[in-house]
Amino acid sequence: MTVWEELKARGLIAQVTDEEEIKEMVNAGKATFYIGFDPTADSLHVGHFMALCLMKRLQMAGNRPIALLGGGTGMIGDPSGRTDMRQMMTKETIQHNIDCFKKQMERFIDFSEGKAMMVNNADWLLDLNYVELLREVGPHFSVNRMLTAECYKQRMEKGLSFLEFNYMIMQSYDFYMLYQKYGCNMQFGGDDQWSNMLGGTELIRRKLGKDAYAMTITLLLNSEGKKMGKTQSGAVWLDPNKTSPFDFYQYWRNVDDADVIKCMRLLTFLPLEEIEEMAKWEGSQLNKAKEVLAYELTNLVHGEEEAKKAQEGARALFAGGANTANMPTTELGEEDFSEDGTIDVISMLVKCGLVPSRSEGRRAIEQGGVSIDGEKVADIKHVVSKDALQGEGIVLKRGKKKFNKVIVK
């Protein structure tokens, strides 16, 4: 199976231009391609993870990735998939986020000499003269056509700022610059980026002639990533300080039955033949498939040691009363206890991060969703003594999937 055939078999390809040319270049390892990452937070998340896995696959086949960090576009904010305007960030915040992205990307992509590049679009976007940009780029964009783009449609009713309206032009200009500076002949992005990406391809061809060789591929990256990478409490981050390796493992261990094989195809590097065998599994066997998925992805992001710890901790929880050494743990200090040496269960829920507020903790108890060492907590005033938390401590659980071991320092 060729690289291109595998990408299609894994369900990654959504739309392409010039498929025959793209297929030939990718299979021959001759593509220099880019994917953009706007630094909207201080950590990459699961949506980015899908893009990084794609970059790794193509690099392994000899192609050259360019990770484009959006130090310039991040000053504006992508309106795609948004119902309101993004909060504007300072240059200092953007730079901090970029520095965090760099460290995380190096776990996936080999940036050694000639194998890949990391580029910041602030290097050209922040020095642009507005009138010169209008003259150079403006004539090649139709406002009527821009307004029909999916990335703008859902914002038109509530209001699309002129600031955000310029995002498509900025992203298109990125491809134009990468093509000229680094010979970048291909761009990848999520299916919600299709209009922006086509803008870049057309700009290159209009500015440099029809022979200019630039192509676009849009994959099920952002849309699937946004769906997969969101929980009720927020995003699933790659930074272990924002989403612990254990919680990362648990997220994938608890995906819907209908999604487990799709996630394996999109995100893991397991052979397709092995995945297709697991696709035949039913019933309780699906839990084994979820364990495989969770372990493989945690290993990719956090390393083998953390993946093993997370797996052991999860198995201990489901076994009931087994070794809890690798469970996520919260340590309580003297300041957390009242004068009589007790702490109420709602305070513990908040302290462990199992609920965002006391009112949410109270509601969880009233709904029967909180337990201590397997015993349901029925009273919102229930307290636990310091003595009970000595040694191995207790396992505090909210719902079926959120829990913490609680001990005394």
Side-chain angles (χ1 to χ4, degrees), residues 81-191:
R82 301 283 299 186
T83 57
D84 56 359
M85 191 172 82
R86 294 181 186 274
Q87 183 176 353
M88 294 181 69
M89 298 181 292
T90 65
K91 289 184 179 180
E92 292 75 19
T93 298
I94 290 173
Q95 186 57 53
H96 170 72
N97 293 349
I98 283 175
D99 292 340
C100 294
F101 277 24
K102 286 180 178 178
K103 292 178 183 177
Q104 292 177 336
M105 285 179 176
E106 288 170 351
R107 282 192 57 88
F108 298 91
I109 311 301
D110 180 1
F111 287 101
S112 59
E113 186 66 30
K115 294 188 177 180
M117 297 182 65
M118 199 179 291
V119 179
N120 188 340
N121 63 16
D123 293 345
W124 54 82
L125 292 181
L126 297 190
D127 292 332
L128 284 173
N129 177 285
Y130 187 60
V131 174
E132 288 179 5
L133 177 69
L134 288 178
R135 288 176 61 85
E136 183 177 7
V137 178
H140 304 291
F141 285 83
S142 161
V143 171
N144 289 350
R145 186 172 177 181
M146 290 173 71
L147 291 175
T148 65
E150 288 298 325
C151 59
Y152 294 144
K153 272 184 180 179
Q154 69 183 76
R155 293 293 305 281
M156 293 303 293
E157 291 183 8
K158 292 189 175 181
L160 175 72
S161 71
F162 183 69
L163 174 75
E164 296 170 288
F165 187 62
N166 281 268
Y167 191 89
M168 181 186 291
I169 295 175
M170 297 294 96
Q171 184 171 330
S172 299
Y173 193 78
D174 281 344
F175 195 16
Y176 173 63
M177 291 299 293
L178 291 170
Y179 179 89
Q180 293 189 96
K181 291 169 70 73
Y182 307 111
C184 181
N185 49 30
M186 203 174 293
Q187 60 178 328
F188 287 71
D191 57 358

Side-chain angles (χ1 to χ4, degrees), residues 182-201:
Y182 307 111
C184 181
N185 49 30
M186 203 174 293
Q187 60 178 328
F188 287 71
D191 57 358
D192 58 350
Q193 295 290 312
W194 184 243
S195 299
N196 293 351
M197 295 168 67
L198 287 179
T201 297

Side-chain angles (χ1 to χ4, degrees), residues 3 15 24-25 32 58 101 126-127 141 277 301 320 344 353 385:
V3 178
Q15 299 181 77
E24 182 179 342
M25 292 182 71
T32 297
L58 291 173
F101 277 24
L126 297 190
D127 292 332
F141 285 83
E277 282 300 311
V301 175
D344 65 274
S385 69

Side-chain angles (χ1 to χ4, degrees), residues 279-309:
K280 301 173 185 177
W281 293 358
E282 297 179 350
S284 61
Q285 283 183 305
L286 284 175
N287 288 329
K288 175 61 178 174
K290 291 179 184 181
E291 274 199 347
V292 173
L293 173 68
Y295 181 85
E296 290 294 323
L297 298 189
T298 308
N299 186 15
L300 273 173
V301 175
H302 298 295
E304 184 178 11
E305 183 179 352
E306 291 297 336
K308 287 180 177 178
K309 287 181 181 179

